[in-house]
Amino acid sequence: MLKLNLLNNMNGIIISNNSFFDKDYWTTFCKGDQYKFFSINDITQFLGAFYLDRLREVLGNKVDETFKDFPLTKEQTEQIKTVFENQIDMTLPLIEPVEGRRYKSWTLDWKGKSYDMNLSLISPQSMKIQELYKIMKIAEECLAESKPMYISIDSLDF
Protein backbone atom coordinates (compact mmCIF):
# COMPACT_ATOMS: atom_id res chain seq x y z
CA MET A 1 0.00 0.00 0.00
CA LEU A 2 2.78 2.46 0.93
CA LYS A 3 4.69 1.84 -2.30
CA LEU A 4 1.51 2.20 -4.38
CA ASN A 5 0.63 5.50 -2.69
CA LEU A 6 4.15 6.83 -3.11
CA LEU A 7 4.38 5.81 -6.75
CA ASN A 8 0.93 6.93 -7.85
CA ASN A 9 0.47 10.09 -5.82
CA MET A 10 3.64 10.59 -3.89
CA ASN A 11 3.52 14.19 -2.64
CA GLY A 12 6.08 13.21 -0.05
CA ILE A 13 9.68 12.55 0.87
CA ILE A 14 11.65 9.30 0.88
CA ILE A 15 15.17 9.07 2.29
CA SER A 16 16.82 5.69 1.70
CA ASN A 17 20.07 3.77 1.77
CA ASN A 18 19.44 2.39 -1.71
CA SER A 19 17.52 3.48 -4.78
CA PHE A 20 13.83 2.99 -4.05
CA PHE A 21 11.78 3.25 -7.21
CA ASP A 22 13.64 0.72 -9.36
CA LYS A 23 12.97 -2.11 -6.89
CA ASP A 24 10.03 -4.23 -5.86
CA TYR A 25 9.06 -2.83 -2.46
CA TRP A 26 7.76 -6.14 -1.05
CA THR A 27 10.92 -8.14 -1.72
CA THR A 28 13.41 -5.40 -0.82
CA PHE A 29 12.42 -2.59 1.54
CA CYS A 30 9.60 -4.56 3.15
CA LYS A 31 11.51 -7.80 3.80
CA GLY A 32 15.21 -7.11 3.34
CA ASP A 33 17.03 -5.94 6.46
CA GLN A 34 19.74 -4.26 4.38
CA TYR A 35 17.17 -1.89 2.80
CA LYS A 36 16.25 1.06 4.99
CA PHE A 37 14.11 4.09 4.31
CA PHE A 38 12.25 6.91 5.97
CA SER A 39 9.17 8.49 4.43
CA ILE A 40 6.75 11.33 4.97
CA ASN A 41 3.66 10.82 2.86
CA ASP A 42 2.31 14.35 2.83
CA ILE A 43 4.70 17.28 2.60
CA THR A 44 1.83 19.75 2.82
CA GLN A 45 1.46 18.93 6.53
CA PHE A 46 3.59 20.37 9.33
CA LEU A 47 6.00 17.42 9.56
CA GLY A 48 6.53 17.41 5.81
CA ALA A 49 7.47 21.07 5.87
CA PHE A 50 9.76 20.43 8.86
CA TYR A 51 11.70 17.73 6.97
CA LEU A 52 11.82 19.80 3.77
CA ASP A 53 13.34 22.67 5.76
CA ARG A 54 16.03 20.35 7.18
CA LEU A 55 16.79 19.01 3.68
CA ARG A 56 16.83 22.57 2.31
CA GLU A 57 19.84 23.25 4.58
CA VAL A 58 21.79 20.80 2.42
CA LEU A 59 20.06 20.78 -0.97
CA GLY A 60 18.91 24.40 -1.16
CA ASN A 61 16.06 25.09 -3.58
CA LYS A 62 16.39 21.61 -5.11
CA VAL A 63 13.82 20.49 -2.51
CA ASP A 64 11.24 22.50 -4.45
CA GLU A 65 11.73 20.21 -7.45
CA THR A 66 10.25 16.79 -8.11
CA PHE A 67 12.75 13.94 -8.37
CA LYS A 68 13.06 10.24 -7.60
CA ASP A 69 16.14 8.43 -6.29
CA PHE A 70 18.47 11.42 -6.33
CA PRO A 71 21.87 10.15 -5.11
CA LEU A 72 23.62 12.46 -2.68
CA THR A 73 27.34 13.04 -2.73
CA LYS A 74 29.46 12.01 0.23
CA GLU A 75 29.64 15.65 1.31
CA GLN A 76 25.85 16.06 1.13
CA THR A 77 25.34 12.84 3.11
CA GLU A 78 27.76 14.12 5.77
CA GLN A 79 25.78 17.37 5.90
CA ILE A 80 22.48 15.48 6.23
CA LYS A 81 23.97 13.47 9.10
CA THR A 82 25.11 16.67 10.84
CA VAL A 83 21.79 18.48 10.31
CA PHE A 84 19.81 15.61 11.81
CA GLU A 85 22.27 15.08 14.68
CA ASN A 86 21.90 18.78 15.55
CA GLN A 87 18.13 18.46 15.37
CA ILE A 88 18.24 15.53 17.82
CA ASP A 89 20.37 17.65 20.19
CA MET A 90 17.80 20.47 19.98
CA THR A 91 14.80 18.15 20.47
CA LEU A 92 16.09 15.98 23.35
CA PRO A 93 15.45 18.66 26.03
CA LEU A 94 11.80 18.71 24.90
CA ILE A 95 11.04 15.02 25.52
CA GLU A 96 8.13 14.41 27.82
CA PRO A 97 8.51 12.56 31.15
CA VAL A 98 7.16 9.02 31.20
CA GLU A 99 6.52 8.35 34.90
CA GLY A 100 3.50 6.25 35.79
CA ARG A 101 2.32 5.65 32.25
CA ARG A 102 2.17 2.52 30.17
CA TYR A 103 3.93 3.26 26.94
CA LYS A 104 5.81 1.76 24.09
CA SER A 105 9.40 2.62 24.83
CA TRP A 106 12.68 2.88 23.04
CA THR A 107 16.06 3.61 24.57
CA LEU A 108 18.23 6.08 22.76
CA ASP A 109 21.93 5.95 23.60
CA TRP A 110 23.16 9.38 22.60
CA LYS A 111 26.52 10.97 23.32
CA GLY A 112 27.20 8.84 26.38
CA LYS A 113 23.72 9.15 27.89
CA SER A 114 20.67 6.90 27.72
CA TYR A 115 17.22 8.36 27.15
CA ASP A 116 14.00 6.46 27.76
CA MET A 117 11.77 7.47 24.88
CA ASN A 118 7.98 7.24 25.15
CA LEU A 119 6.72 6.33 21.68
CA SER A 120 3.01 6.72 22.45
CA LEU A 121 0.89 9.44 20.90
CA ILE A 122 1.17 11.50 24.08
CA SER A 123 4.87 11.94 23.44
CA PRO A 124 5.35 13.48 19.98
CA GLN A 125 8.88 14.74 20.70
CA SER A 126 10.11 11.21 21.46
CA MET A 127 8.56 9.93 18.22
CA LYS A 128 10.18 12.81 16.34
CA ILE A 129 13.58 11.95 17.80
CA GLN A 130 13.14 8.35 16.68
CA GLU A 131 12.51 9.58 13.11
CA LEU A 132 15.48 11.97 13.21
CA TYR A 133 17.66 9.16 14.51
CA LYS A 134 16.53 6.83 11.72
CA ILE A 135 17.54 9.38 9.08
CA MET A 136 20.87 10.02 10.81
CA LYS A 137 21.57 6.24 10.96
CA ILE A 138 20.79 5.86 7.24
CA ALA A 139 23.32 8.62 6.51
CA GLU A 140 25.84 7.03 8.85
CA GLU A 141 25.50 3.64 7.13
CA CYS A 142 25.86 5.16 3.66
CA LEU A 143 29.03 6.97 4.75
CA ALA A 144 30.49 3.85 6.40
CA GLU A 145 29.84 1.75 3.31
CA SER A 146 30.85 4.48 0.82
CA LYS A 147 27.53 4.34 -0.98
CA PRO A 148 25.14 7.13 -1.90
CA MET A 149 22.16 8.11 0.18
CA TYR A 150 19.02 8.61 -1.94
CA ILE A 151 16.31 11.22 -1.65
CA SER A 152 13.01 11.39 -3.51
CA ILE A 153 10.69 14.39 -3.34
CA ASP A 154 7.38 15.02 -5.04
CA SER A 155 6.32 18.53 -4.22
CA LEU A 156 3.91 19.27 -7.06
CA ASP A 157 1.06 20.25 -4.75
CA PHE A 158 3.20 22.04 -2.18
Side-chain angles (χ1 to χ4, degrees), residues 61-127:
N61 291 335
K62 180 138 182 85
V63 300
D64 298 323
E65 300 174 19
T66 297
F67 51 87
K68 292 182 180 175
D69 291 335
F70 178 75
L72 299 182
T73 65
K74 179 182 177 187
E75 292 76 21
Q76 288 171 320
T77 302
E78 288 170 345
Q79 290 173 332
I80 292 281
K81 181 178 178 283
T82 300
V83 164
F84 285 93
E85 283 176 338
N86 291 339
Q87 196 62 51
I88 290 170
D89 288 337
M90 291 175 13
T91 309
L92 271 172
L94 305 175
I95 62 172
E96 302 83 358
V98 295
E99 303 97 29
R101 294 191 181 134
R102 299 181 128 233
Y103 58 95
K104 181 180 174 188
S105 66
W106 170 63
T107 301
L108 170 67
D109 293 317
W110 187 254
K111 298 184 178 178
K113 264 182 103 174
S114 287
Y115 297 87
D116 190 21
M117 310 301 273
N118 179 352
L119 298 180
S120 68
L121 293 177
I122 61 170
S123 185
Q125 297 302 331
S126 291
M127 293 186 321

Side-chain angles (χ1 to χ4, degrees), residues 1-30 35-41 65-71 149-155:
M1 185 71 157
L2 171 70
K3 175 80 175 208
L4 293 176
N5 286 343
L6 291 172
L7 283 173
N8 294 333
N9 192 7
M10 187 173 143
N11 194 24
I13 302 167
I14 298 175
I15 300 170
S16 58
N17 69 343
N18 207 308
S19 59
F20 190 86
F21 288 94
D22 62 346
K23 292 174 180 49
D24 177 61
Y25 172 77
W26 299 110
T27 59
T28 55
F29 286 92
C30 186
Y35 296 97
K36 295 175 184 65
F37 76 99
F38 168 81
S39 69
I40 291 288
N41 292 331
E65 300 174 19
T66 297
F67 51 87
K68 292 182 180 175
D69 291 335
F70 178 75
M149 182 176 187
Y150 291 86
I151 296 184
S152 301
I153 298 178
D154 184 346
S155 57

